[in-house]
Amino acid sequence: MRRRTFLRLSAALPLAGTVTAAGRAQAAPADVLPGRAAVVESVRRVNDHWINGHGDPGDNLWARATYFGGTMAAYRLTGEPRYLAYAESWAEKHDYGLAGGVTTRHADNHNAGQVYLDIHEVRGGEERIAAIEASLHRMVHTDRPEKDDDWWWVDALHMAMPPMARLGALRGDSAYWTKMYALYDHTKRVRGGGLYDYTHELWYRDDTWSPGGAGRLSPDGRPVFWSRGNGWAYAAHAKVLAVLPSTDRRAPEYRWNMQGMSRALLARQRPDGFWNPSLADPGHLPGRESSGTALFCFGLAHAIRTGVIDRATYLPVLARGWNALVRDAVHPDGRLGWVQGTGDRPESSRPITYESTADFGVGAFLLAGSQVARLAS
């Protein structure tokens, strides 16, 4: 495939940091969403800052793919051609391919396929989705289709469920949805005794923490539910429900899971609007964390908008989360702070500070903003 030369898009972007002190003084109350124009401005400021600082669009691994999923959401929200061009430059740099090639079964490698499907929706061209389709088609139809234990960590739900759901819809092949549920069900109920805890209505990151696995606890003796891990699960359910027909027999379970998680998130939100990195033990490494909070905002906004959860109950929860991100994590120049770096537990990549940022955290913020804007007036 012919690659497009990346023409220093960053040089053409306006500098961020245009929010005035007066504009900040006029911010909405903490439990009220700001207007749509303010949400769009925050999305633009954060994305423009990222692009200005990253002339090379980067690798095609899960973290950068999460960012580009967010920038495609920002493109759909704003219609800004620079965002689409930046995403295309990234995809073309990698020939719309997957890390590990088409034989990979690793969910992280499939995350790039979400962006390729996004670009395909805009541009067409079967070559753009050839690799992700070949890889998932193998899992569904030819490469040990009975093997259902590939998604052994909760992040995998976000990385691989959405492209599998979307290919089922695109090709009219419900076998993708059947296979997706089999993998999901194994993660939820079998792996380590089941990574979903029905009592707390939250997900363990992997069987290091589940009672049927190693069952590790917080220093206070409480179960450990990692914020970003639950954010991945919550976002996965929202993305799947966005494309799965409501008549699919498995759709009610995905809705119920979002409803249960929403109850858990409502009970565990911090007074300032963020969620702690550790959700069940408020004394276990407390503090602001943007990536989990942004993923929760994305899922909340989608679930409110589509009627999965009650608007009156959850809109203030969403507003507090979104307003906290914009107020306390978005720097005047558009840098997004308080992002926990890569890891697999609340202790990972510490300390988490106002300066801590990462591509996947920016992507999560852009995803959230794209949904919040659809609720804002």
Side-chain angles (χ1 to χ4, degrees):
M1 180 181 299
R2 183 180 179 185
R3 297 182 180 177
R4 172 179 305 178
T5 301
F6 182 47
L7 298 175
R8 294 187 60 80
L9 289 168
S10 59
L13 293 173
L15 292 176
T18 58
V19 175
T20 66
R24 286 186 178 274
Q26 296 169 4
D31 60 354
V32 176
L33 285 180
R36 185 180 187 278
V39 176
V40 172
E41 190 278 335
S42 295
V43 167
R44 282 185 173 273
R45 187 153 45 101
V46 169
N47 202 27
D48 290 353
H49 177 273
W50 182 267
I51 298 172
N52 280 334
H54 296 85
D56 180 349
D59 63 37
N60 65 345
L61 302 179
W62 69 267
R64 195 55 59 96
T66 300
Y67 162 73
F68 277 103
T71 211
M72 285 301 297
Y75 168 72
R76 290 191 294 272
L77 173 65
T78 65
E80 176 54 65
R82 293 171 299 169
Y83 298 165
L84 176 60
Y86 191 47
E88 287 186 289
S89 74
W90 170 78
E92 292 171 6
K93 174 181 177 179
H94 301 291
D95 289 332
Y96 288 88
L98 305 178
V102 298
T103 62
T104 186
R105 299 179 70 96
H106 200 287
D108 285 355
N109 295 338
H110 289 142
N111 196 28
Q114 296 193 53
V115 189
Y116 302 156
L117 283 157
D118 287 339
I119 298 172
H120 175 264
E121 284 187 358
V122 177
R123 296 295 198 196
E126 292 298 295
E127 72 280 1
R128 292 186 168 92
I129 59 172
I132 185 61
E133 183 168 17
S135 186
L136 293 181
H137 186 274
R138 286 172 60 89
M139 290 181 69
V140 171
H141 289 290
T142 64
D143 180 12
R144 295 163 290 162
E146 75 288 350
K147 187 179 186 301
D148 296 329
D149 60 354
D150 293 288
W151 297 348
W152 54 265
W153 71 114
V154 74
D155 315 34
L157 302 184
H158 172 268
M159 308 306 167
M161 286 182 76
M164 197 169 280
R166 291 172 69 178
L167 280 168
L170 182 65
R171 300 308 186 202
D173 185 353
S174 63
Y176 283 93
W177 301 334
T178 300
K179 177 64 175 177
M180 177 178 71
Y181 182 79
L183 289 154
Y184 168 86
D185 185 63
H186 189 277
T187 306
K188 186 176 187 179
R189 296 186 174 89
V190 179
R191 181 76 191 191
L195 298 189
Y196 184 68
D197 187 302
Y198 285 85
T199 299
H200 293 87
E201 299 187 297
L202 292 168
W203 292 76
Y204 298 103
R205 195 272 177 178
D206 55 52
D207 60 13
T208 302
W209 312 100
S210 65
R216 291 183 59 184
L217 302 173
S218 76
D220 234 10
R222 303 191 192 188
V224 175
F225 300 105
W226 183 39
S227 180
R228 187 162 69 239
N230 277 274
W232 292 133
Y234 200 54
H237 285 78
K239 289 183 175 184
V240 167
L241 287 171
V243 298
L244 193 69
S246 60
T247 54
D248 185 272
R249 62 184 177 83
R250 292 145 296 223
E253 182 174 342
Y254 299 134
R255 288 194 291 270
W256 295 332
N257 198 267
M258 283 208 82
Q259 290 162 358
M261 292 189 72
S262 299
R263 290 189 291 267
L265 295 175
L266 184 154
R268 291 168 173 83
Q269 189 175 32
R270 291 162 48 99
D272 65 3
F274 286 90
W275 280 268
N276 285 329
S278 186
L279 295 175
D281 186 343
H284 182 209
L285 304 168
R288 298 182 180 97
E289 203 289 300
S290 293
S291 63
T293 296
L295 290 166
F296 295 148
C297 287
F298 168 73
L300 283 164
H302 183 273
I304 292 167
R305 187 177 60 79
T306 57
V308 172
I309 57 178
D310 178 65
R311 183 185 181 100
T313 301
Y314 289 102
L315 193 61
V317 180
L318 168 63
R320 287 192 291 271
W322 176 256
N323 289 331
L325 288 167
V326 174
R327 180 189 66 237
D328 296 333
V330 178
H331 294 211
D333 68 355
R335 181 185 178 93
L336 180 72
W338 297 109
V339 178
Q340 183 181 19
T342 55
D344 61 359
R345 63 195 68 190
E347 290 85 354
S348 297
S349 295
R350 301 191 72 87
I352 305 167
T353 72
Y354 180 60
E355 298 299 324
S356 304
T357 196
D359 45 8
F360 56 84
V362 173
F365 179 88
L366 300 177
L367 286 169
S370 72
Q371 287 294 314
V372 171
R374 298 179 73 176
L375 286 172
S377 57

